Amino acid sequence: MEKNKAKRAGLKRRQRRVRGKISGTSERPRLRVTRTNKHIYAQVVDDTKGMTIVAANTLQAEFKETGKSGATVEGAKQLGEILGKRAIAAGIDEVVFDRGGHLYHGRVQALADGARSAGLKF
């Protein structure tokens, strides 16, 4: 049990470190990624207003129609494309990427690549 607490504390520490350096504005909001073993969640946040502008996750019907899993790199890339399209439709074309304390590798990187392929710039 102590091992899991230490892992969670390390993740929280890394999240705070990233958030100390990154902040989203109205012109350039923050693209936040949260990852679990089974699913992946992403949202575009305006920190000055404290509100989420656009969100997407692997539990939504639009993603489930693709037939991909949230636990795979292909699923994360597909989710990034869905989020990118929603952000472009909401009038956002440039964001700041917040990896949420996770390494920029695997599913986190695939989500970023999918969002870039949909037209987001970061």
Side-chain angles (χ1 to χ4, degrees):
M1 190 64 159
E2 289 298 319
K3 182 178 177 182
N4 288 336
K5 280 186 178 180
K7 285 171 73 172
R8 178 62 63 191
L11 179 63
K12 290 291 183 190
R13 186 180 67 246
R14 288 188 302 274
Q15 286 172 343
R16 280 194 308 270
R17 186 183 326 137
V18 170
R19 283 288 287 122
K21 300 173 186 176
I22 294 174
S23 180
T25 63
S26 297
E27 299 83 32
R28 193 168 177 190
R30 176 172 55 99
L31 189 146
R32 166 80 168 129
V33 177
T34 305
R35 180 181 62 81
T36 65
N37 288 339
K38 199 171 182 181
H39 297 289
I40 191 160
Y41 309 84
Q43 56 186 354
V44 177
V45 180
D46 180 357
D47 290 317
T48 57
K49 294 179 184 172
M51 61 182 280
T52 299
I53 302 166
V54 178
N57 62 58
T58 55
L59 298 170
Q60 293 176 336
E62 186 178 350
F63 177 80
K64 289 190 176 192
E65 290 171 359
T66 65
K68 305 218 187 246
S69 168
T72 62
V73 172
E74 293 84 19
K77 184 172 175 89
Q78 188 69 39
L79 183 69
E81 291 173 2
I82 291 169
L83 181 77
K85 289 175 188 171
R86 288 182 184 176
I88 296 292
I92 300 163
D93 59 348
E94 201 168 337
V95 295
V96 178
F97 190 71
D98 178 4
R99 58 188 172 81
H102 298 288
L103 291 175
Y104 186 77
H105 179 267
R107 289 187 288 158
V108 175
Q109 182 178 4
L111 187 137
D113 292 341
R116 279 191 189 104
S117 70
L120 282 181
K121 297 178 191 127
F122 55 95

